[in-house]
Amino acid sequence: MRTAFGHHRARRAFKSIPAAAAMACALLSGCSSAKELPSKDTDAPPQRALSKTPSYSLSQSRLLDILALEQDLFSDPNIDGVSDTSRAELITKGSRIDSMWRSYILDFPDDVQALVLYGKFLRRTGREDAAYEMFKRADSMNPNIAVVHQQLSALDAEAGEIKNSLARIRRAMELEPDNKTYMRQCAFLLAGAKKRILQQGMLSPEEYDSLLRFCYLRPCQLSPEDRGARVRYAQSMYDLCNPDYQEALKVWLELRKSAALNIDKQTADANIARALVELGRDGEALNYLEKIDLPALERAKRLLLEEIQRAKKDGLKRGEN
């Protein structure tokens, strides 16, 4: 199949099996957590949207029927089952929903929302190529839908089309600048394809650092109480083209101060020590390393101690960036 980008998309091995079987495979294995797309809960239609009232039009009523069946399918307790009975039931349910979607799209070809929802269903049931074409169709009708660009970005990334994927997710972020899901997806793309992005000149090192920093800093600004977001931001300082160990040190010290659990305190200690080592402040780093006694952090502690000893032996000088 040729896409709008003028070449064949990468295909998985299971694409050669019938669509119904592919659907079953996807349903039985559940949603892949590796995909930076909305989670099962995020994708599920709001409960209030499933409550019919007499004021709904025929098209709305049909759409709600389909979404209700989808919700029933993906909440099925047999979704992870492997028995032949469960497999047959899932195929039957999935095929019925697919038929209803196809019929709806034929009757209401200009319903962009329906194209997006059907595209999500196709992707969730393992039919990436069909999902891609559905999202492209929605994009041709309205190029300013953020979630369409996000979904196309994810599919492009899976097919190895990094340049297109990066452009798509950045467009999604332009349309919805405070959407943390899009920022996280962009950050994962930057980290996973860093070498290729820089080597092919998609971004300069300065542009790369600016975008990666934004993807991790903005969620902290939006949710100051989110400790996990601050941890991810501190860690991202190591991944910049020009690592910012001074900023990492600042944030880890703040995290150390607010840590309630011993594991969180010692994790902060290990990272504070790492930043100090990179900044050439080995004496201070040793003070923090002495506090670490958890087995889970033993390897990190040992490596940092070895780095300090190596620097002393070789006369290496490290300094603040």
Side-chain angles (χ1 to χ4, degrees), residues 23-91:
M23 182 188 301
C25 291
L27 293 174
L28 292 171
S29 62
C31 294
S32 171
S33 60
K35 295 176 181 176
E36 274 304 294
L37 289 174
S39 66
K40 181 179 291 187
D41 292 336
T42 304
D43 266 347
Q47 192 66 37
R48 63 179 179 274
L50 301 179
S51 301
K52 292 186 185 179
T53 68
S55 63
Y56 282 140
S57 66
L58 175 61
S59 63
Q60 290 173 321
S61 179
R62 287 177 61 182
L63 191 59
L64 292 173
D65 285 341
I66 299 172
L67 295 177
L69 288 172
E70 274 195 33
Q71 188 174 40
D72 176 66
L73 173 66
F74 293 118
S75 62
D76 191 320
N78 294 319
I79 196 72
D80 295 317
V82 294
S83 69
D84 290 340
T85 301
S86 296
R87 188 188 306 274
E89 290 176 353
L90 289 172
I91 291 176

Coordinates of all heavy atoms in Angstrom, one line a residue, residues 23-91:
M23 N -7.2 -9.1 14.2 CA -8.0 -8.5 15.3 C -7.9 -9.3 16.6 O -7.7 -8.8 17.7 CB -9.4 -8.3 14.8 CG -10.3 -7.5 15.8 SD -12.0 -7.5 15.3 CE -11.9 -6.7 13.8
A24 N -8.1 -10.6 16.4 CA -8.1 -11.5 17.6 C -6.7 -11.4 18.3 O -6.7 -11.4 19.5 CB -8.4 -12.9 17.2
C25 N -5.7 -11.4 17.5 CA -4.3 -11.4 18.1 C -4.2 -10.1 18.9 O -3.6 -10.2 20.1 CB -3.2 -11.4 17.0 SG -3.1 -13.0 16.1
A26 N -4.6 -9.0 18.4 CA -4.5 -7.7 19.1 C -5.3 -7.7 20.3 O -4.9 -7.3 21.4 CB -4.8 -6.6 18.2
L27 N -6.5 -8.2 20.2 CA -7.4 -8.2 21.4 C -6.9 -9.1 22.5 O -7.0 -8.8 23.7 CB -8.8 -8.7 20.9 CG -9.6 -7.7 20.0 CD1 -10.9 -8.3 19.5 CD2 -9.8 -6.4 20.6
L28 N -6.4 -10.3 22.1 CA -6.0 -11.2 23.1 C -4.7 -10.8 23.8 O -4.4 -11.2 25.0 CB -5.7 -12.6 22.5 CG -7.0 -13.3 22.0 CD1 -6.7 -14.5 21.2 CD2 -7.9 -13.7 23.2
S29 N -3.9 -10.0 23.2 CA -2.7 -9.5 23.8 C -2.8 -8.2 24.5 O -1.9 -7.7 25.2 CB -1.6 -9.3 22.7 OG -2.0 -8.3 21.8
G30 N -4.0 -7.6 24.4 CA -4.2 -6.3 25.0 C -3.5 -5.2 24.3 O -2.9 -5.3 23.3
C31 N -3.6 -3.9 24.9 CA -3.0 -2.7 24.2 C -1.6 -2.7 24.6 O -1.2 -2.9 25.7 CB -3.7 -1.5 24.7 SG -5.4 -1.3 24.2
S32 N -0.7 -2.4 23.6 CA 0.7 -2.3 23.8 C 1.0 -1.1 24.6 O 0.7 0.1 24.2 CB 1.4 -2.3 22.5 OG 2.8 -2.0 22.7
S33 N 1.7 -1.2 25.7 CA 2.1 -0.1 26.5 C 3.3 0.7 25.9 O 3.6 1.8 26.3 CB 2.5 -0.5 27.9 OG 3.6 -1.4 27.9
A34 N 3.9 0.1 24.9 CA 5.0 0.8 24.2 C 4.6 1.9 23.3 O 5.3 2.8 23.0 CB 5.9 -0.2 23.4
K35 N 3.3 1.8 22.9 CA 2.8 2.9 22.1 C 2.5 4.1 22.9 O 1.7 4.1 23.8 CB 1.6 2.4 21.3 CG 1.9 1.3 20.3 CD 0.6 0.8 19.7 CE 0.9 -0.4 18.7 NZ -0.3 -0.9 18.2
E36 N 3.0 5.2 22.5 CA 2.7 6.5 23.2 C 1.4 7.1 22.6 O 1.4 8.1 22.0 CB 3.9 7.5 23.0 CG 4.9 7.2 24.1 CD 4.3 7.3 25.5 OE1 3.8 8.4 25.9 OE2 4.3 6.3 26.1
L37 N 0.4 6.4 22.8 CA -1.0 6.8 22.4 C -1.8 6.9 23.7 O -1.4 6.4 24.7 CB -1.6 5.9 21.4 CG -1.0 5.9 20.1 CD1 -1.6 4.8 19.2 CD2 -1.2 7.2 19.4
P38 N -3.0 7.5 23.6 CA -3.8 7.5 24.8 C -4.1 6.1 25.3 O -4.2 5.1 24.6 CB -5.1 8.1 24.3 CG -4.7 8.9 23.1 CD -3.6 8.2 22.5
S39 N -4.1 6.0 26.6 CA -4.3 4.7 27.3 C -5.7 4.2 27.0 O -6.6 4.9 26.4 CB -4.1 4.8 28.8 OG -5.1 5.6 29.3
K40 N -6.0 2.9 27.4 CA -7.3 2.4 27.3 C -8.4 3.2 27.9 O -9.4 3.5 27.4 CB -7.4 1.0 27.8 CG -8.7 0.3 27.7 CD -8.7 -1.1 28.3 CE -7.8 -2.1 27.5 NZ -8.0 -3.5 27.9
D41 N -8.0 3.8 29.1 CA -9.0 4.6 29.8 C -9.2 5.9 29.0 O -10.3 6.5 29.0 CB -8.5 4.9 31.2 CG -8.5 3.7 32.1 OD1 -9.3 2.8 31.8 OD2 -7.8 3.6 33.1
T42 N -8.1 6.5 28.5 CA -8.2 7.8 27.8 C -9.0 7.6 26.5 O -9.8 8.4 26.1 CB -6.8 8.3 27.4 OG1 -6.1 8.4 28.6 CG2 -6.9 9.7 26.8
D43 N -8.8 6.5 25.8 CA -9.5 6.2 24.5 C -10.9 5.9 24.7 O -11.7 6.1 23.8 CB -8.8 5.0 23.8 CG -7.8 5.5 22.8 OD1 -7.7 6.7 22.6 OD2 -7.0 4.7 22.4
A44 N -11.3 5.4 25.9 CA -12.7 5.0 26.1 C -13.6 6.2 26.1 O -13.2 7.3 26.6 CB -12.8 4.3 27.5
P45 N -14.8 6.1 25.4 CA -15.7 7.3 25.4 C -16.2 7.6 26.8 O -16.4 6.7 27.6 CB -16.8 6.8 24.5 CG -16.7 5.3 24.6 CD -15.3 4.9 24.7
P46 N -16.3 8.9 27.1 CA -16.9 9.2 28.4 C -18.2 8.6 28.7 O -19.0 8.4 27.8 CB -17.0 10.8 28.3 CG -16.1 11.2 27.2 CD -16.1 10.0 26.2
Q47 N -18.4 8.2 29.9 CA -19.6 7.5 30.2 C -20.9 8.3 29.9 O -21.9 7.7 29.4 CB -19.7 7.1 31.7 CG -20.7 6.1 32.1 CD -20.5 4.8 31.6 OE1 -19.4 4.3 31.5 NE2 -21.5 4.1 31.1
R48 N -20.8 9.6 30.1 CA -22.0 10.4 29.8 C -22.3 10.4 28.3 O -23.5 10.7 28.0 CB -21.7 11.8 30.3 CG -20.6 12.5 29.6 CD -20.4 14.0 30.1 NE -19.4 14.7 29.5 CZ -18.1 14.6 29.9 NH1 -17.8 13.9 31.0 NH2 -17.1 15.3 29.3
A49 N -21.3 10.2 27.5 CA -21.6 10.2 26.0 C -22.4 9.0 25.6 O -22.9 8.9 24.5 CB -20.3 10.2 25.3
L50 N -22.5 8.0 26.5 CA -23.2 6.7 26.1 C -24.6 6.7 26.5 O -25.3 5.8 26.4 CB -22.4 5.5 26.7 CG -21.0 5.4 26.3 CD1 -20.4 4.2 26.9 CD2 -20.9 5.3 24.8
S51 N -25.0 7.8 27.2 CA -26.4 7.9 27.7 C -27.3 8.6 26.6 O -27.2 9.7 26.3 CB -26.5 8.7 29.0 OG -25.7 8.1 29.9
K52 N -28.1 7.8 26.0 CA -29.0 8.3 24.9 C -30.1 9.2 25.5 O -30.6 8.9 26.6 CB -29.6 7.2 24.1 CG -28.6 6.4 23.3 CD -29.4 5.4 22.4 CE -28.4 4.5 21.7 NZ -29.2 3.5 20.9
T53 N -30.5 10.1 24.7 CA -31.7 10.9 25.0 C -32.4 11.1 23.7 O -31.9 11.0 22.6 CB -31.3 12.3 25.5 OG1 -30.7 13.1 24.5 CG2 -30.4 12.2 26.7
P54 N -33.7 11.3 23.7 CA -34.5 11.4 22.5 C -34.1 12.5 21.6 O -34.4 12.6 20.4 CB -35.9 11.7 23.1 CG -35.9 11.1 24.4 CD -34.5 11.3 25.0
S55 N -33.2 13.5 22.1 CA -32.8 14.6 21.3 C -31.7 14.3 20.3 O -31.4 15.1 19.4 CB -32.4 15.8 22.2 OG -31.2 15.4 22.9
Y56 N -31.1 13.1 20.5 CA -30.0 12.7 19.6 C -30.6 12.4 18.2 O -31.6 11.9 18.0 CB -29.3 11.5 20.1 CG -28.4 11.7 21.2 CD1 -28.3 10.9 22.3 CD2 -27.5 12.9 21.2 CE1 -27.4 11.1 23.3 CE2 -26.7 13.1 22.2 CZ -26.6 12.2 23.3 OH -25.7 12.5 24.3
S57 N -29.8 12.8 17.2 CA -30.1 12.5 15.8 C -29.9 11.1 15.5 O -29.3 10.3 16.3 CB -29.3 13.4 14.8 OG -27.9 13.0 14.9
L58 N -30.3 10.6 14.3 CA -30.1 9.2 13.9 C -28.6 8.9 13.9 O -28.1 7.9 14.3 CB -30.7 9.0 12.6 CG -30.5 7.6 12.0 CD1 -31.0 6.5 12.9 CD2 -31.1 7.5 10.6
S59 N -27.8 9.8 13.3 CA -26.4 9.6 13.2 C -25.7 9.5 14.5 O -24.9 8.6 14.8 CB -25.7 10.6 12.3 OG -25.8 11.9 12.9
Q60 N -26.1 10.4 15.5 CA -25.5 10.4 16.8 C -25.9 9.1 17.5 O -25.1 8.5 18.2 CB -26.0 11.6 17.6 CG -25.5 12.9 17.1 CD -26.1 14.1 17.8 OE1 -27.3 14.1 18.1 NE2 -25.3 15.1 18.1
S61 N -27.2 8.7 17.4 CA -27.6 7.4 18.0 C -26.8 6.2 17.5 O -26.4 5.4 18.3 CB -29.1 7.2 17.7 OG -29.6 6.0 18.3
R62 N -26.6 6.2 16.2 CA -25.8 5.0 15.7 C -24.3 5.1 16.2 O -23.8 4.0 16.5 CB -25.8 5.1 14.1 CG -27.1 4.7 13.5 CD -27.1 4.8 12.0 NE -26.1 4.0 11.4 CZ -25.9 3.9 10.1 NH1 -26.6 4.7 9.3 NH2 -24.9 3.2 9.6
L63 N -23.8 6.3 16.2 CA -22.4 6.4 16.7 C -22.3 6.0 18.2 O -21.4 5.3 18.6 CB -22.0 7.9 16.6 CG -20.5 8.2 16.8 CD1 -19.6 7.4 15.8 CD2 -20.2 9.7 16.6
L64 N -23.3 6.4 19.0 CA -23.3 6.0 20.4 C -23.4 4.5 20.6 O -22.8 3.9 21.5 CB -24.4 6.7 21.1 CG -24.2 8.2 21.3 CD1 -25.4 8.9 21.9 CD2 -22.9 8.5 22.1
D65 N -24.2 3.9 19.7 CA -24.3 2.4 19.7 C -23.0 1.7 19.5 O -22.6 0.7 20.2 CB -25.3 1.9 18.7 CG -26.8 2.2 19.1 OD1 -27.0 2.4 20.3 OD2 -27.6 2.2 18.2
I66 N -22.3 2.2 18.5 CA -20.9 1.6 18.2 C -20.0 1.8 19.3 O -19.3 0.9 19.7 CB -20.4 2.3 16.9 CG1 -21.3 2.0 15.7 CG2 -19.0 1.7 16.6 CD1 -20.9 2.8 14.4
L67 N -19.9 3.0 19.9 CA -19.0 3.3 21.0 C -19.4 2.5 22.2 O -18.5 2.0 23.0 CB -19.1 4.8 21.4 CG -18.5 5.7 20.3 CD1 -18.7 7.2 20.7 CD2 -17.1 5.4 19.9
A68 N -20.6 2.2 22.4 CA -21.0 1.4 23.6 C -20.5 -0.1 23.4 O -20.1 -0.7 24.3 CB -22.6 1.4 23.7
L69 N -20.6 -0.6 22.2 CA -20.1 -1.9 21.9 C -18.6 -2.0 22.0 O -18.1 -3.0 22.5 CB -20.6 -2.3 20.5 CG -22.1 -2.6 20.3 CD1 -22.4 -2.9 18.8 CD2 -22.4 -3.9 21.1
E70 N -17.9 -0.9 21.6 CA -16.5 -0.9 21.8 C -16.1 -0.9 23.2 O -15.2 -1.6 23.6 CB -15.9 0.4 21.1 CG -15.6 0.3 19.7 CD -14.7 1.5 19.2 OE1 -13.9 1.9 20.0 OE2 -14.9 1.9 18.0
Q71 N -16.8 -0.1 24.0 CA -16.5 -0.1 25.5 C -16.8 -1.5 26.0 O -16.0 -2.0 26.9 CB -17.4 0.9 26.1 CG -17.1 1.1 27.6 CD -17.9 2.2 28.2 OE1 -19.1 2.4 27.9 NE2 -17.3 3.1 29.0
D72 N -17.8 -2.2 25.6 CA -18.1 -3.5 26.1 C -17.0 -4.5 25.7 O -16.6 -5.4 26.4 CB -19.4 -4.0 25.5 CG -19.7 -5.4 25.9 OD1 -19.9 -5.7 27.1 OD2 -19.8 -6.3 25.0
L73 N -16.5 -4.3 24.4 CA -15.5 -5.2 23.9 C -14.2 -5.1 24.7 O -13.6 -6.1 25.2 CB -15.2 -4.9 22.4 CG -14.0 -5.6 21.8 CD1 -14.3 -7.1 21.7 CD2 -13.7 -5.1 20.4
F74 N -13.7 -3.9 24.9 CA -12.4 -3.7 25.5 C -12.5 -3.8 27.0 O -11.4 -3.8 27.7 CB -11.8 -2.3 25.1 CG -11.5 -2.3 23.6 CD1 -12.1 -1.4 22.8 CD2 -10.5 -3.1 23.1 CE1 -11.8 -1.4 21.4 CE2 -10.2 -3.1 21.8 CZ -10.8 -2.2 20.9
S75 N -13.6 -3.9 27.6 CA -13.8 -4.2 29.0 C -14.1 -5.6 29.3 O -14.3 -6.0 30.4 CB -14.8 -3.2 29.7 OG -16.1 -3.5 29.1
D76 N -14.2 -6.4 28.2 CA -14.5 -7.8 28.4 C -13.4 -8.5 29.2 O -12.2 -8.4 29.0 CB -14.5 -8.5 27.0 CG -15.1 -9.9 27.0 OD1 -14.8 -10.6 27.9 OD2 -15.9 -10.2 26.0
P77 N -13.9 -9.2 30.3 CA -12.9 -10.0 31.2 C -12.1 -11.0 30.4 O -11.1 -11.5 30.9 CB -13.8 -10.6 32.3 CG -15.2 -10.7 31.6 CD -15.2 -9.5 30.7
N78 N -12.6 -11.4 29.2 CA -11.9 -12.4 28.5 C -10.9 -11.8 27.5 O -10.4 -12.5 26.6 CB -12.9 -13.3 27.7 CG -13.7 -14.1 28.6 OD1 -13.2 -14.7 29.6 ND2 -15.0 -14.2 28.3
I79 N -10.6 -10.5 27.6 CA -9.8 -9.8 26.6 C -8.4 -10.4 26.5 O -7.7 -10.4 25.5 CB -9.7 -8.3 26.9 CG1 -9.2 -7.5 25.7 CG2 -8.9 -8.0 28.2 CD1 -10.2 -7.4 24.6
D80 N -7.9 -11.0 27.7 CA -6.6 -11.6 27.7 C -6.7 -13.1 27.7 O -5.7 -13.8 27.9 CB -5.8 -11.1 29.0 CG -5.5 -9.6 28.9 OD1 -5.2 -9.1 27.8 OD2 -5.7 -8.9 29.9
G81 N -7.9 -13.6 27.4 CA -8.0 -15.1 27.4 C -7.4 -15.7 26.2 O -7.2 -15.1 25.2
V82 N -7.1 -17.0 26.3 CA -6.5 -17.7 25.2 C -7.3 -18.9 24.7 O -6.9 -19.6 23.8 CB -5.0 -18.2 25.6 CG1 -4.1 -17.0 25.8 CG2 -5.1 -19.1 26.8
S83 N -8.4 -19.1 25.3 CA -9.2 -20.3 24.9 C -9.9 -20.0 23.6 O -10.1 -18.9 23.1 CB -10.3 -20.5 26.0 OG -11.3 -19.5 25.9
D84 N -10.2 -21.1 22.9 CA -10.8 -21.0 21.6 C -12.2 -20.3 21.7 O -12.6 -19.6 20.8 CB -11.0 -22.4 21.0 CG -9.7 -23.1 20.6 OD1 -8.7 -22.3 20.4 OD2 -9.7 -24.3 20.5
T85 N -12.9 -20.6 22.8 CA -14.2 -19.9 23.0 C -14.0 -18.4 23.1 O -14.8 -17.7 22.4 CB -14.9 -20.5 24.2 OG1 -15.1 -21.9 24.1 CG2 -16.2 -19.8 24.4
S86 N -13.1 -18.0 23.9 CA -12.9 -16.6 24.1 C -12.4 -15.9 22.7 O -12.9 -14.8 22.4 CB -11.8 -16.3 25.1 OG -12.2 -16.8 26.4
R87 N -11.6 -16.6 22.0 CA -11.1 -16.1 20.8 C -12.2 -15.9 19.8 O -12.3 -14.9 19.1 CB -10.0 -17.1 20.2 CG -9.3 -16.6 18.9 CD -8.5 -17.7 18.3 NE -7.6 -18.2 19.3 CZ -6.4 -17.7 19.6 NH1 -6.0 -16.6 19.0 NH2 -5.6 -18.3 20.5
A88 N -13.1 -16.9 19.7 CA -14.2 -16.8 18.8 C -15.2 -15.7 19.1 O -15.7 -15.0 18.3 CB -15.0 -18.1 18.7
E89 N -15.4 -15.5 20.4 CA -16.3 -14.5 20.9 C -15.7 -13.1 20.6 O -16.4 -12.2 20.2 CB -16.5 -14.6 22.4 CG -17.4 -15.8 22.8 CD -17.5 -16.0 24.3 OE1 -16.8 -15.2 25.0 OE2 -18.3 -16.8 24.7
L90 N -14.4 -12.9 20.8 CA -13.8 -11.7 20.5 C -13.8 -11.3 19.0 O -14.1 -10.2 18.6 CB -12.3 -11.7 21.0 CG -12.2 -11.7 22.6 CD1 -10.7 -11.9 22.9 CD2 -12.7 -10.3 23.1
I91 N -13.6 -12.3 18.2 CA -13.6 -12.1 16.8 C -15.0 -11.7 16.3 O -15.2 -10.8 15.5 CB -13.2 -13.4 16.0 CG1 -11.7 -13.6 16.2 CG2 -13.5 -13.3 14.5 CD1 -11.2 -14.9 15.6

